[in-house]
Amino acid sequence: QVQLVESGGGLVQSGGSLRLSCAASGSIFNINAMGWYRQAPGKQRELVATIPSGGSTHYADSVKGRFTISRDSAKNTVHLQMNSLKPEDTAVYYCNAVIQKLPGPPSFSYWGQGTQVTVSS
């Protein structure tokens, strides 16, 4: 089994900062990519940022310049530093990882349970 456990959400005022963390554990041979998604009430889940192994990061236009994704491959963790937060960043944030449980394909997509981020105006 594979588990993704998120931490770091909470309530912050507009302009403030939060740091989200996600740790993957279990039957893991290799993690191809890790990322963060978010879902606001009444909206679809959307990509926030991704970081593949050995590749370049990708950000949603709405968070570019404010959020930074980083990864510790040795610890199977991914972080999301969120600065200059806005009320429209309020959502449940989900960690995602694309994981190989054995050498070679296939890879599987796993999700964390989500962590609430609320930005007050």
Side-chain angles (χ1 to χ4, degrees), residues 15 70 116:
S70 61
Q116 177 70 46

Side-chain angles (χ1 to χ4, degrees), residues 22 31 34 51 70-79:
C22 172
I31 301 180
M34 301 188 82
I51 182 168
S70 61
R71 178 175 169 181
D72 185 337
S73 296
K75 296 182 179 180
N76 291 338
T77 57
V78 64
H79 307 282

Side-chain angles (χ1 to χ4, degrees), residues 4 8 11-12 15-16 22 37 39 52 56-57 61 64 68-70 78 101 107 118 121:
L4 301 183
L11 172 65
V12 65
C22 172
Y37 293 71
Q39 187 167 17
S56 58
T57 56
D61 287 343
K64 281 181 181 177
T68 302
I69 189 170
S70 61
V78 64
K101 300 178 73 174
S107 297
T118 303
S121 56

